[in-house]
Amino acid sequence: MNPLLKTNFEACTKCAICTEYCPVSEAWPPFLGPKQSGPDGERQRLKDASFYDEVLKYCTNCKRCEVACPSSVRVGDVIALAREKYARGSFSPRNAILSHTDFVGSLATMAAPLVNFGANLKIVKFFLEKVLKIPAWRTFPSYSQGTFRNWFFDKGPSQKAFARRLSFFHGCFINYNNPSLGRDAVRLINALGLGVDLLESERCCGVPLVSSGFFKDAAANAAVNDQSIQKALLGAERVVVASSTCCMTLRDEYPDVLKLNNENWRKKVDLLPRYIYRLLEEGLSLKFKPTPMTVAYHTACHMEKLGWSAYSIELLKLIPELKIVLLPSSCCGVAGTYGFKLENSQISQKIGAPLFAEIAKSGADLVVTECETCKLQIEMSASVPCENPLTVLARALDDGSGGDASP
Amino acid sequence: MRFDVVVIGGGLAGYAAAIRLLEAGKSCALLSMGQSALHFSSGSLDFLNYLPDGRPVADFREGLAELAELSPGHPYALIGIEESARLALEAEEAFRRWETPLSGSLAQGSHFRLSPIGKLLPTWLSSRDALVAEKGPDGGPHWPYRSVSLVNVEGFVDFYPEIIASKLAAYGLKVQERSFTTPDLEIARGNPSEFRSVNIARVLDQKDNFNLLKDFLRALAPSSDLLLMPACVALNDGELLPKLSANLGKPVKLVPTLAPSLLGARLNRRLARVFLSKGGVLMPKDEALGFSFAEKGSGPARISALFTQNHEDMPLAATHYVLATGGFFSQGLKAEPTRIREAVFDLDLAENPGERAQWTRESVFQRQPYLSFGVKTDSNLDGYWRGAPIANLKVAGTLLGGFDPVRLGCGGGVALVSAFRAARAILSGEGAA
């Protein structure tokens, strides 16, 4: 079936409400906006491919247009499909480096201290900006010494004793940059009395590849993950994901943009906070110690699209003495690798400005969000630490072990 | 996931009911299928402008009494006319409490607002930024202004300054037309199909651009009693124009434009913000797909769970449900080949719509029967399913049957009155039991 037909694009009434909620066209009006880039433009492109406008690459794929649309048009998908079909950009080494997270991550974690040191040298940053067009003022994600997978198999707690099992899709950021979040996830799952498996073979979900136009590479990753997920579900009751973007990609972008039929497992891939909520409803329990601090919950764009913020928020409410401020849902601007491209970087900061102001106003000690690149952006731009709700929950766990309370 | 109340629908009625229930301490989730019809509205809320026989309503209370005689199925009549008037006052009070100030009140009677093509229309509540006129002793508009500067944004096509100017001139005002632009607006205009009110506002609301506008208006202020613009500024901040007016010493007012309409969108944004600030749980872009009844006891049926697009097999469970999904436009009602169906529960309709050929009339200006289609309720606003009331489902807003919001000019009023009625019924435990 032509994937365009699933986007419901003929239901567009041209009301332009999507453009009203598009963070890119607000920050940078020359972007055509979702209506014109999406369903309106598609009507023209169907007649003549020369109507394709390269400005579509400024779309961040945040999906806020789809959330706003009163007619349920999948505006973002129309744009992504058009980019795949019509874009004729030349090969960019910068985009290749930014989007091939597995390749770069595997190399970088092998020499993490050197890479982290090097990447923050002025001369290196100068080179990155001049040659690769990666803005020098950005804080780069630091790489961890050794991957999460290595920790899990070499040093992680034994998972043998558990009868019920979850398969954990850790994603690139946990594997190469933030293994401690992976450890938090394992700790929470074990505290519920379930064991953790990893996928036999896990590739990047593909979202950075889609954003940079590497659709074939993304589809190849999807095919590997498809096989691994099917295999994992033979032994595990769910595949659980910590990152909202990876989760949305596996469930929705695979069928809608990458044309992979995932019907037989789509509903068995879940965001971990949602699955924990389900386990608690089933009667399992977690015990939390009082944590007197204020956290501000930020709804990442893809979390808004999934519609599952409530599960994370309800879990956080179980922590005694934790005060939760809900930030008005708005885009932080980084949109994965988008803000790491020099040509987007000013737009990116302009998009995020209202959110940074809300964070400052909230007086929170910590921002909480399920998205790893929101974390990078918020920590850099709002100067407040930012963690996944799983980390907040794991730190507050009262499991008798004393826990790892230090940030 | 469990809540005291789940509200289905994120428009005027849904948000009003939800916020009222949150204020009373209920936990509340609200499902929204996308941004609501408020984005297509002027932002003024009508209470009752005309009677079913076409006569204009001069006095709200007399109008209500006549309405109850002529149209006993109208939600105001079902709820009771005294009660409806009381709930309308409760709504006025609530907007003040929600720091969402609106001008007008039932006690003052109707005032006039200006339509996007300059027609004077009676209404109940308006944004403080909207150009309104009190009703003069002759029944016409009473303006406290003589000379008006009408400032359009260059290249903005969803607004007709010539028509507005000629209408205002006919009401005795002296109008000078001006047009305004900034370098940033010129860039935005490079994308003409998106040069719409709310998008212009997003440019104009930025500090540098707003300062340019302020300077432009300041130059006009000495020669004007009123500075009038299309509603394409102040998208998020209801205090911006009152402050500007105070600064310039002359009122700056807005005229609603074609959709997307800023004053309506701003009301929607404001309600969403109040909802969140009171602890409401928003389920954005989610659609109710199915439901289950509680196990049959001796009393009337009760809904036990609502299944949705996003939550799949994890239903939203609540003690009470409020259905405020709107009419055909908002997809609360669906026209199938041979019947009209309420979209979520397939509730009973207030009247039998008859054959498909009878749903519409040929001329758009004739009374359109489909506009008064909607679901059946009783005075507690209980929804009915296969002939019997559902004990824990209230219906509010345009989804209600028995009235034509367009012809009577009462859509906003019915939304608020029914929302507060539904909230009150839930809070006091009234309803089928």
Side-chain angles (χ1 to χ4, degrees), chain A residues 14-17 19-22 25-26 29-32 35-36 66-70 72 251 266-267 274 277-278 281 304 306-308 310-311 328 350 358, chain B residues 1-2 33-36 39-40 187-188 191 193-194 196 198-199 202-203 206 235 259-260 265 269 273 276 280-281 283-285 287 310-314 331:
Chain A
K14 292 172 171 264
C15 72
I17 285 175
T19 306
E20 179 185 337
Y21 289 89
C22 171
S25 58
E26 174 163 22
F31 174 60
L32 292 175
K35 174 176 81 74
Q36 185 61 29
E66 297 186 5
V67 174
C69 177
S72 299
R251 288 170 51 98
R266 181 178 175 273
K267 290 183 178 174
R274 181 171 187 254
Y277 187 93
R278 186 194 295 264
E281 270 197 337
E304 180 96 346
L306 285 168
W308 291 346
Y311 297 105
K350 206 170 164 191
E358 289 286 349
Chain B
M1 206 167 266
R2 234 204 122 71
M33 241 176 82
Q35 294 297 340
S36 82
H39 287 66
F40 297 81
I187 295 171
N191 185 2
S193 76
E194 304 300 288
R196 314 276 286 267
V198 289
N199 301 332
R202 301 200 307 183
V203 177
Q206 289 166 18
L235 176 56
R269 285 167 175 242
R273 201 153 176 145
L276 288 177
V281 177
M283 304 286 183
K285 199 60 201 176
E287 186 175 355
N310 290 342
H311 295 285
E312 297 171 348
D313 63 330
M314 294 175 77
Q331 301 171 58

Coordinates of all heavy atoms in Angstrom, one line a residue, chain A residues 14-17 19-22 25-26 29-32 35-36 66-70 72 251 266-267 274 277-278 281 304 306-308 310-311 328 350 358, chain B residues 1-2 33-36 39-40 187-188 191 193-194 196 198-199 202-203 206 235 259-260 265 269 273 276 280-281 283-285 287 310-314 331:
Chain A
K14 N -7.1 22.7 5.2 CA -6.3 23.9 5.0 C -6.5 24.9 6.1 O -6.4 26.1 5.9 CB -6.6 24.6 3.6 CG -6.1 23.8 2.4 CD -6.7 24.5 1.2 CE -6.1 23.9 -0.1 NZ -4.9 24.6 -0.6
C15 N -6.8 24.5 7.3 CA -7.2 25.4 8.3 C -6.0 26.1 8.9 O -6.1 27.1 9.6 CB -7.9 24.7 9.4 SG -7.0 23.6 10.5
A16 N -4.8 25.5 8.7 CA -3.5 26.1 9.1 C -3.3 26.1 10.6 O -2.3 26.7 11.1 CB -3.3 27.5 8.6
I17 N -4.1 25.3 11.4 CA -3.8 25.2 12.8 C -2.5 24.5 13.0 O -1.8 24.8 14.0 CB -5.0 24.4 13.5 CG1 -6.2 25.3 13.6 CG2 -4.6 23.9 14.9 CD1 -7.4 24.7 14.2
T19 N 0.2 24.9 11.4 CA 1.3 25.9 11.3 C 1.3 26.8 12.6 O 2.4 27.2 13.0 CB 1.1 26.8 10.0 OG1 1.0 25.9 8.9 CG2 2.3 27.7 9.8
E20 N 0.2 27.0 13.1 CA 0.1 27.8 14.4 C 0.9 27.1 15.5 O 1.5 27.7 16.4 CB -1.3 27.9 14.8 CG -1.5 28.6 16.2 CD -2.9 28.7 16.7 OE1 -3.9 28.5 15.8 OE2 -3.1 28.9 17.9
Y21 N 1.0 25.8 15.4 CA 1.7 25.0 16.5 C 3.1 24.5 16.0 O 3.7 23.7 16.8 CB 0.8 23.9 17.0 CG -0.3 24.4 17.8 CD1 -1.5 24.8 17.2 CD2 -0.2 24.7 19.2 CE1 -2.6 25.3 17.9 CE2 -1.2 25.3 19.9 CZ -2.4 25.6 19.3 OH -3.4 26.2 20.0
C22 N 3.5 24.9 14.9 CA 4.8 24.5 14.4 C 6.0 25.3 15.0 O 6.0 26.5 14.8 CB 4.9 24.6 12.8 SG 6.5 24.3 12.2
S25 N 8.3 27.0 12.1 CA 7.9 28.2 11.4 C 7.7 29.4 12.3 O 7.7 30.6 11.9 CB 6.6 28.0 10.6 OG 5.6 27.5 11.4
E26 N 7.5 29.2 13.6 CA 7.5 30.3 14.5 C 8.9 30.9 14.6 O 9.0 32.2 14.6 CB 7.1 29.8 15.9 CG 7.2 31.0 17.0 CD 6.4 30.7 18.2 OE1 6.1 29.6 18.5 OE2 6.1 31.7 18.9
P29 N 10.1 32.0 10.0 CA 9.0 32.0 9.0 C 9.3 31.5 7.6 O 8.4 31.0 6.9 CB 8.5 33.4 9.1 CG 8.9 33.9 10.4 CD 10.3 33.2 10.7
P30 N 10.5 31.6 7.1 CA 10.7 31.1 5.7 C 10.5 29.6 5.5 O 10.3 29.1 4.4 CB 12.2 31.5 5.4 CG 12.5 32.6 6.3 CD 11.7 32.4 7.5
F31 N 10.5 28.9 6.6 CA 10.1 27.5 6.5 C 8.6 27.5 6.1 O 7.9 28.3 6.7 CB 10.3 26.8 7.9 CG 9.7 25.4 7.9 CD1 10.2 24.4 7.0 CD2 8.7 25.0 8.8 CE1 9.7 23.1 7.0 CE2 8.2 23.7 8.8 CZ 8.7 22.8 7.9
L32 N 8.3 26.7 5.2 CA 6.9 26.8 4.6 C 5.8 26.5 5.7 O 4.7 26.9 5.5 CB 6.8 25.9 3.4 CG 7.6 26.2 2.2 CD1 7.4 25.1 1.2 CD2 7.1 27.6 1.6
K35 N 1.5 22.8 6.9 CA 0.4 22.7 5.9 C 1.0 22.8 4.5 O 0.7 21.9 3.7 CB -0.6 23.8 6.1 CG -1.7 23.9 5.1 CD -2.7 24.9 5.4 CE -2.3 26.3 4.9 NZ -2.4 26.5 3.5
Q36 N 1.8 23.8 4.3 CA 2.3 23.9 2.9 C 3.3 22.9 2.6 O 3.4 22.4 1.5 CB 2.9 25.4 2.8 CG 3.3 25.7 1.4 CD 2.2 25.7 0.3 OE1 1.1 25.9 0.6 NE2 2.6 25.3 -0.9
E66 N 0.9 17.1 13.9 CA 0.0 16.0 14.0 C -0.8 16.0 15.2 O -2.0 15.6 15.2 CB 0.7 14.6 13.9 CG 1.5 14.5 12.5 CD 2.1 13.1 12.3 OE1 1.9 12.2 13.2 OE2 2.9 13.0 11.3
V67 N -0.2 16.4 16.3 CA -0.9 16.5 17.6 C -2.0 17.6 17.5 O -3.1 17.5 18.1 CB 0.0 16.7 18.8 CG1 -0.7 17.0 20.1 CG2 1.0 15.5 18.9
A68 N -1.7 18.7 16.8 CA -2.6 19.8 16.8 C -3.7 19.6 15.8 O -4.8 20.1 15.9 CB -1.8 21.1 16.4
C69 N -3.5 18.8 14.7 CA -4.4 18.7 13.6 C -5.8 18.2 14.0 O -5.9 17.2 14.6 CB -3.9 17.8 12.5 SG -5.1 17.6 11.2
P70 N -6.9 19.0 13.8 CA -8.2 18.6 14.2 C -8.8 17.5 13.3 O -9.8 16.9 13.6 CB -9.1 19.8 14.2 CG -8.2 20.9 13.6 CD -6.9 20.4 13.3
S72 N -6.9 14.9 12.0 CA -6.1 13.7 12.1 C -5.3 13.4 10.9 O -5.1 12.2 10.5 CB -7.0 12.4 12.5 OG -7.6 12.7 13.7
R251 N 7.6 1.9 17.0 CA 6.2 1.5 16.9 C 5.6 2.2 15.7 O 4.8 1.6 15.0 CB 5.5 2.0 18.1 CG 5.7 1.2 19.4 CD 5.2 1.9 20.6 NE 3.8 2.3 20.4 CZ 2.7 1.5 20.8 NH1 2.9 0.4 21.5 NH2 1.5 2.0 20.6
R266 N 4.1 -4.5 17.3 CA 4.0 -3.1 17.6 C 3.5 -2.9 19.0 O 4.1 -2.1 19.8 CB 3.1 -2.4 16.6 CG 3.0 -0.9 16.8 CD 2.1 -0.2 15.8 NE 1.9 1.2 16.2 CZ 1.0 1.6 17.0 NH1 0.1 0.7 17.5 NH2 0.9 2.9 17.3
K267 N 2.4 -3.5 19.4 CA 1.9 -3.3 20.7 C 2.6 -3.9 21.8 O 2.3 -3.8 23.0 CB 0.4 -3.7 20.7 CG -0.5 -2.7 19.9 CD -1.9 -3.1 19.9 CE -2.7 -2.1 19.1 NZ -4.1 -2.4 19.0
R274 N 5.6 3.4 31.1 CA 4.2 2.9 30.9 C 4.1 1.4 31.4 O 3.1 1.0 32.0 CB 3.8 3.0 29.5 CG 2.4 2.6 29.1 CD 2.0 2.9 27.7 NE 0.6 2.7 27.4 CZ 0.2 1.7 26.6 NH1 1.1 0.8 26.1 NH2 -1.1 1.5 26.4
Y277 N 4.1 1.2 35.1 CA 2.7 1.5 35.6 C 1.8 0.3 35.4 O 1.0 0.0 36.4 CB 2.2 2.7 34.7 CG 0.9 3.3 35.3 CD1 0.9 4.3 36.2 CD2 -0.3 2.7 34.9 CE1 -0.2 4.8 36.7 CE2 -1.5 3.2 35.4 CZ -1.5 4.3 36.3 OH -2.6 4.8 36.8
R278 N 1.9 -0.4 34.3 CA 1.0 -1.5 34.1 C 1.3 -2.6 35.2 O 0.4 -3.2 35.7 CB 1.2 -2.1 32.7 CG 0.3 -3.2 32.3 CD 0.8 -3.9 31.1 NE 0.8 -3.1 29.9 CZ -0.2 -3.1 29.0 NH1 -1.2 -3.8 29.1 NH2 0.0 -2.3 27.9
E281 N -0.2 -1.7 38.4 CA -1.7 -1.9 38.3 C -2.0 -3.4 38.5 O -3.0 -3.7 39.1 CB -2.3 -1.4 37.0 CG -2.7 0.1 37.0 CD -3.6 0.4 35.9 OE1 -3.6 -0.3 34.8 OE2 -4.4 1.4 36.0
E304 N 4.8 13.7 23.5 CA 3.5 14.3 23.2 C 2.7 13.5 22.2 O 1.6 13.2 22.2 CB 3.7 15.8 22.7 CG 2.4 16.5 22.4 CD 2.0 17.4 23.5 OE1 2.5 17.2 24.7 OE2 1.1 18.2 23.3
L306 N 3.3 10.3 21.4 CA 2.9 9.0 22.0 C 1.7 9.2 22.9 O 0.8 8.3 23.0 CB 4.0 8.4 22.8 CG 5.2 7.7 22.0 CD1 6.3 7.4 22.9 CD2 4.7 6.4 21.3
G307 N 1.6 10.3 23.6 CA 0.5 10.6 24.5 C 0.6 9.9 25.8 O -0.4 9.7 26.5
W308 N 1.8 9.6 26.2 CA 2.0 8.8 27.4 C 2.6 9.5 28.6 O 3.1 8.8 29.6 CB 2.8 7.5 27.1 CG 2.1 6.6 26.2 CD1 0.8 6.5 25.9 CD2 2.7 5.5 25.5 NE1 0.6 5.5 25.0 CE2 1.7 4.8 24.8 CE3 4.1 5.0 25.4 CZ2 2.0 3.7 24.0 CZ3 4.3 3.9 24.6 CH2 3.2 3.2 23.9
A310 N 1.4 10.9 31.0 CA 0.7 10.7 32.3 C 1.3 9.5 33.1 O 1.3 9.6 34.3 CB -0.8 10.4 32.0
Y311 N 1.8 8.5 32.4 CA 2.3 7.4 33.1 C 3.6 7.8 33.9 O 3.7 7.4 35.1 CB 2.7 6.2 32.1 CG 1.5 5.7 31.4 CD1 1.3 6.0 30.1 CD2 0.6 4.9 32.1 CE1 0.2 5.5 29.4 CE2 -0.6 4.4 31.4 CZ -0.8 4.7 30.1 OH -1.9 4.2 29.4
P328 N 4.6 23.8 30.5 CA 3.7 23.8 29.3 C 4.5 23.1 28.1 O 5.7 23.3 28.0 CB 3.5 25.2 29.0 CG 4.0 26.0 30.2 CD 4.9 25.1 30.9
K350 N 16.2 29.4 19.2 CA 15.1 30.3 19.2 C 13.8 29.5 19.6 O 12.9 30.0 20.3 CB 14.9 31.0 17.9 CG 14.2 32.3 18.0 CD 14.3 33.1 16.7 CE 13.3 34.2 16.6 NZ 13.1 34.8 15.3
E358 N 10.5 29.0 30.9 CA 9.6 28.3 31.8 C 10.3 27.5 32.9 O 9.9 27.4 34.0 CB 8.6 27.4 31.0 CG 7.6 28.1 30.2 CD 6.4 28.7 31.0 OE1 6.3 28.4 32.2 OE2 5.7 29.5 30.4
Chain B
M1 N -5.5 3.4 33.7 CA -5.3 4.6 34.5 C -6.7 5.1 35.1 O -7.6 5.1 34.4 CB -4.7 5.7 33.7 CG -3.9 6.7 34.4 SD -2.8 7.7 33.3 CE -1.3 6.8 33.3
R2 N -6.7 5.5 36.3 CA -8.0 5.8 37.0 C -8.1 7.3 37.4 O -7.1 7.8 37.9 CB -8.1 5.0 38.3 CG -9.3 4.2 38.4 CD -9.9 3.8 39.6 NE -11.2 4.3 39.7 CZ -12.3 3.9 39.0 NH1 -12.1 2.9 38.2 NH2 -13.4 4.5 39.1
M33 N -8.8 15.5 20.6 CA -8.5 14.9 19.3 C -7.7 15.8 18.4 O -7.3 15.4 17.3 CB -9.8 14.5 18.5 CG -9.9 13.0 18.2 SD -11.4 12.7 17.5 CE -11.1 13.0 15.8
G34 N -7.3 16.9 18.9 CA -6.6 17.9 18.1 C -7.1 19.3 18.6 O -8.0 19.3 19.5
Q35 N -6.6 20.4 18.1 CA -7.1 21.7 18.5 C -8.5 21.9 18.2 O -9.0 21.4 17.1 CB -6.2 22.8 18.0 CG -4.7 22.7 18.5 CD -4.6 22.9 20.0 OE1 -5.5 23.4 20.6 NE2 -3.5 22.5 20.6
S36 N -9.2 22.6 19.0 CA -10.7 22.6 18.9 C -11.3 23.7 18.0 O -10.5 24.5 17.5 CB -11.3 22.8 20.3 OG -11.3 24.2 20.6
H39 N -10.6 27.6 17.6 CA -9.7 28.2 16.7 C -10.4 28.8 15.4 O -9.7 29.5 14.7 CB -8.6 27.2 16.2 CG -7.6 26.9 17.3 ND1 -7.9 26.2 18.4 CD2 -6.3 27.1 17.3 CE1 -6.8 26.1 19.2 NE2 -5.8 26.6 18.5
F40 N -11.6 28.4 15.3 CA -12.4 29.0 14.1 C -13.4 30.0 14.6 O -14.2 30.5 13.8 CB -13.1 27.8 13.4 CG -12.2 26.8 12.8 CD1 -11.6 25.8 13.6 CD2 -11.9 26.8 11.5 CE1 -10.8 24.9 13.1 CE2 -11.0 25.9 10.9 CZ -10.5 24.9 11.7
I187 N 9.7 39.2 5.4 CA 10.2 37.8 5.2 C 9.1 36.8 5.3 O 9.0 35.9 4.5 CB 11.3 37.5 6.3 CG1 12.5 38.5 6.0 CG2 11.8 36.1 6.2 CD1 13.6 38.4 7.1
A188 N 8.3 36.9 6.4 CA 7.2 36.0 6.6 C 6.2 36.0 5.4 O 5.7 35.0 5.0 CB 6.4 36.3 7.9
N191 N 6.1 33.8 2.2 CA 5.4 32.5 2.3 C 3.9 32.8 2.4 O 3.2 32.7 3.4 CB 5.9 31.8 3.5 CG 5.3 30.4 3.7 OD1 4.6 29.9 2.8 ND2 5.7 29.7 4.8
S193 N 0.9 31.7 1.5 CA -0.2 30.9 1.9 C -0.2 30.7 3.4 O -1.2 30.3 4.0 CB -0.2 29.5 1.2 OG 0.8 28.7 1.8
E194 N 0.9 31.0 4.1 CA 0.9 30.9 5.6 C 0.9 32.2 6.2 O 1.1 32.3 7.4 CB 2.1 30.1 6.0 CG 2.3 28.7 5.4 CD 1.1 27.8 5.7 OE1 1.0 27.4 6.9 OE2 0.3 27.5 4.8
R196 N -1.0 34.1 7.8 CA -2.4 34.0 8.4 C -2.3 34.7 9.8 O -1.2 34.9 10.3 CB -2.8 32.6 8.5 CG -2.6 31.7 7.3 CD -3.8 31.9 6.3 NE -5.0 31.3 6.7 CZ -5.3 30.0 6.4 NH1 -4.5 29.3 5.6 NH2 -6.4 29.5 6.8
V198 N -2.6 34.0 13.1 CA -1.8 33.6 14.2 C -0.3 33.5 13.9 O 0.5 33.8 14.7 CB -2.3 32.2 14.7 CG1 -3.6 32.3 15.4 CG2 -2.3 31.2 13.6
N199 N 0.0 33.3 12.6 CA 1.4 33.2 12.2 C 2.0 34.6 12.2 O 3.1 34.9 12.6 CB 1.6 32.6 10.9 CG 1.0 31.1 10.9 OD1 1.0 30.5 11.9 ND2 0.5 30.7 9.8
R202 N 2.7 35.6 15.7 CA 4.0 35.0 16.2 C 5.2 35.9 15.9 O 6.2 35.9 16.6 CB 4.2 33.6 15.8 CG 3.0 32.7 16.2 CD 3.2 31.3 16.2 NE 3.7 30.7 15.0 CZ 4.0 29.4 14.8 NH1 3.8 28.6 15.8 NH2 4.5 29.0 13.7
V203 N 5.1 36.6 14.7 CA 6.2 37.5 14.4 C 6.0 38.8 15.1 O 6.9 39.3 15.7 CB 6.1 37.8 12.8 CG1 7.2 38.8 12.4 CG2 6.3 36.5 12.1
Q206 N 7.0 39.2 18.8 CA 8.4 39.3 19.2 C 8.8 40.8 19.5 O 8.3 41.7 18.8 CB 9.3 38.7 18.1 CG 9.2 37.2 18.0 CD 9.8 36.7 16.7 OE1 10.5 37.4 16.0 NE2 9.3 35.5 16.3
L235 N -1.0 36.8 20.7 CA -1.5 35.5 20.7 C -1.5 34.8 22.0 O -2.4 34.1 22.3 CB -0.6 34.6 19.7 CG -1.0 33.1 19.6 CD1 -2.4 32.9 19.2 CD2 -0.1 32.4 18.6
A259 N -10.5 32.3 9.8 CA -9.8 31.3 10.6 C -8.4 31.1 10.0 O -8.2 31.3 8.8 CB -10.6 30.0 10.6
P260 N -7.4 30.7 10.7 CA -7.5 30.5 12.2 C -7.6 31.9 12.9 O -7.0 32.8 12.5 CB -6.1 29.8 12.6 CG -5.2 30.1 11.4 CD -6.1 30.3 10.2
A265 N -8.4 31.2 19.4 CA -7.3 30.3 19.7 C -6.7 30.7 21.0 O -6.3 29.8 21.8 CB -6.2 30.5 18.6
R269 N -6.0 28.3 24.2 CA -4.7 28.2 24.9 C -4.8 28.5 26.3 O -4.2 27.9 27.2 CB -3.7 29.2 24.2 CG -3.3 28.7 22.8 CD -2.6 29.8 22.1 NE -2.0 29.3 20.8 CZ -0.8 29.3 20.5 NH1 0.2 29.7 21.3 NH2 -0.4 28.8 19.3
R273 N -4.1 26.1 29.6 CA -3.1 26.4 30.6 C -3.7 26.4 32.0 O -3.1 25.9 33.0 CB -2.6 27.8 30.3 CG -1.2 28.0 30.9 CD -0.3 28.9 30.2 NE 0.9 29.0 31.1 CZ 2.1 29.2 30.7 NH1 2.3 29.3 29.4 NH2 3.1 29.2 31.5
L276 N -4.1 22.7 33.1 CA -2.8 22.1 33.5 C -2.4 22.7 34.9 O -1.9 21.9 35.7 CB -1.7 22.4 32.5 CG -1.8 21.6 31.2 CD1 -0.7 22.0 30.2 CD2 -1.8 20.1 31.4
G280 N -4.8 19.1 36.0 CA -5.5 18.3 35.0 C -4.4 17.5 34.2 O -3.3 17.9 34.0
V281 N -4.9 16.3 33.8 CA -4.0 15.5 33.0 C -4.5 15.5 31.5 O -5.6 15.0 31.2 CB -4.0 14.0 33.5 CG1 -3.1 13.1 32.6 CG2 -3.5 14.0 34.9
M283 N -4.6 14.5 27.7 CA -4.3 13.4 26.8 C -4.4 13.9 25.4 O -5.4 13.9 24.7 CB -5.3 12.2 26.9 CG -5.4 11.7 28.3 SD -4.0 10.7 28.7 CE -4.3 10.1 30.4
P284 N -3.3 14.5 24.9 CA -3.3 15.2 23.6 C -3.4 14.2 22.4 O -2.9 13.1 22.5 CB -2.0 15.9 23.5 CG -1.1 15.2 24.4 CD -1.9 14.4 25.4
K285 N -4.1 14.6 21.4 CA -4.2 13.8 20.2 C -4.6 12.4 20.5 O -3.9 11.4 20.2 CB -3.0 13.9 19.4 CG -3.2 13.4 17.9 CD -4.1 14.3 17.2 CE -4.7 13.7 16.0 NZ -5.8 14.6 15.4
E287 N -8.0 9.6 20.8 CA -9.3 9.4 20.4 C -10.0 8.2 21.1 O -9.3 7.2 21.2 CB -9.3 9.2 18.9 CG -10.7 9.1 18.3 CD -10.6 9.0 16.7 OE1 -9.5 9.0 16.2 OE2 -11.7 8.8 16.1
N310 N -4.3 5.9 21.8 CA -3.0 5.9 22.4 C -2.8 4.9 23.5 O -1.7 4.4 23.7 CB -2.6 7.3 22.9 CG -2.4 8.3 21.8 OD1 -2.2 7.9 20.6 ND2 -2.4 9.6 22.1
H311 N -3.8 4.7 24.3 CA -3.7 3.9 25.5 C -4.0 2.4 25.2 O -3.8 1.6 26.1 CB -4.5 4.5 26.7 CG -3.9 5.8 27.1 ND1 -2.8 6.0 27.8 CD2 -4.3 7.1 26.8 CE1 -2.5 7.3 27.9 NE2 -3.5 8.0 27.3
E312 N -4.5 2.1 24.1 CA -4.7 0.7 23.6 C -5.4 -0.1 24.7 O -6.5 0.2 25.0 CB -3.3 0.2 23.2 CG -2.7 1.0 22.0 CD -1.3 0.6 21.7 OE1 -0.6 -0.1 22.5 OE2 -0.8 1.0 20.6
D313 N -4.7 -1.2 25.1 CA -5.4 -2.1 26.1 C -5.4 -1.6 27.5 O -5.9 -2.3 28.4 CB -4.8 -3.5 26.0 CG -3.3 -3.5 26.5 OD1 -2.6 -2.4 26.3 OD2 -2.8 -4.5 27.0
M314 N -4.8 -0.4 27.8 CA -4.8 0.1 29.1 C -5.9 1.2 29.2 O -5.6 2.4 28.9 CB -3.5 0.7 29.5 CG -2.4 -0.4 29.6 SD -0.8 0.3 29.9 CE -0.9 0.7 31.7
Q331 N -16.4 16.4 14.8 CA -16.5 14.9 14.6 C -17.1 14.2 15.9 O -16.9 13.0 16.0 CB -15.1 14.3 14.3 CG -14.6 14.9 13.0 CD -13.1 14.5 12.7 OE1 -12.8 13.3 12.7 NE2 -12.2 15.5 12.6

